[in-house]
Amino acid sequence: LEIFLPSLADGAVIGLAAKSYKKEKVEGGFILALYNFFPIFTLHEIFVFSGWSIFVTACSIILRYASGLQIPLLIVATLLWIISASLKFLASFAEEGVVIQKMGVFEAAGRSMKLTASYLGHVVFLTILMLIIGLRILINALAVVLLPLILLGLGILLTWFVSVTITAIILTIVGIILVL
């Protein structure tokens, strides 16, 4: 499922989004997923070495089994990862070309690379913007998780030294301050 489901989902979502944009009836997602599965799966597998988990796995295998050749093989693996990740970044719009415009896999990847390179400043700006938004979401999620944990720990600690009433008053004040 982990191998095939993302390609099926991408094919369905891109196809249904194109139907919605064309004001067509939004249905037949499963058929679109099956129809677009192989081209999208091919695109995913062309850039398989760009994944962080694959890179870490390859490096750990090199460190474990390639005695004597570890440093050169780690350099080769790192270069392959950097090149693959860069090409995957440039081919960001290839899936849409395959699904919507019915291009071939390599033609769509080539056109995507030209498009991304032409608007590289805008793409980098949007990438940085998405990273900042993701960081903000992470900070908010940590706040939602950490604030109650801080209050719980402080409450447990204070009940050892002061009465429950004074602990409740202190926790209320600290909780309001932390939320603000």
Side-chain angles (χ1 to χ4, degrees), residues 9-95:
D10 284 347
V13 167
I14 295 168
L16 290 174
K19 278 187 166 187
S20 174
Y21 180 76
K22 294 176 186 176
K23 306 289 188 225
E24 296 176 9
K25 194 171 184 179
V26 182
E27 62 182 14
F30 184 68
I31 300 301
L32 286 169
L34 292 177
Y35 182 73
N36 297 315
F37 169 75
F38 285 111
I40 291 179
F41 184 71
T42 304
L43 274 171
H44 285 183
E45 294 310 306
I46 287 172
F47 304 112
V48 71
F49 203 66
S50 65
W52 179 252
S53 62
I54 297 290
F55 174 65
V56 170
T57 303
C59 287
S60 69
I61 289 172
I62 289 169
L63 289 173
R64 189 175 304 137
Y65 297 115
S67 60
L69 294 173
Q70 291 174 340
I71 299 300
L73 288 177
L74 285 174
I75 291 171
V76 168
T78 304
L79 288 174
L80 282 174
W81 177 71
I82 289 170
I83 291 168
S84 183
S86 300
L87 290 175
K88 184 177 182 180
F89 174 74
L90 290 172
S92 297
F93 304 110
E95 293 173 355

Side-chain angles (χ1 to χ4, degrees), residues 155 158-170:
L158 285 176
T159 53
W160 287 350
F161 302 110
V162 294
S163 70
V164 176
T165 308
I166 296 173
T167 300
I169 293 170
I170 293 172

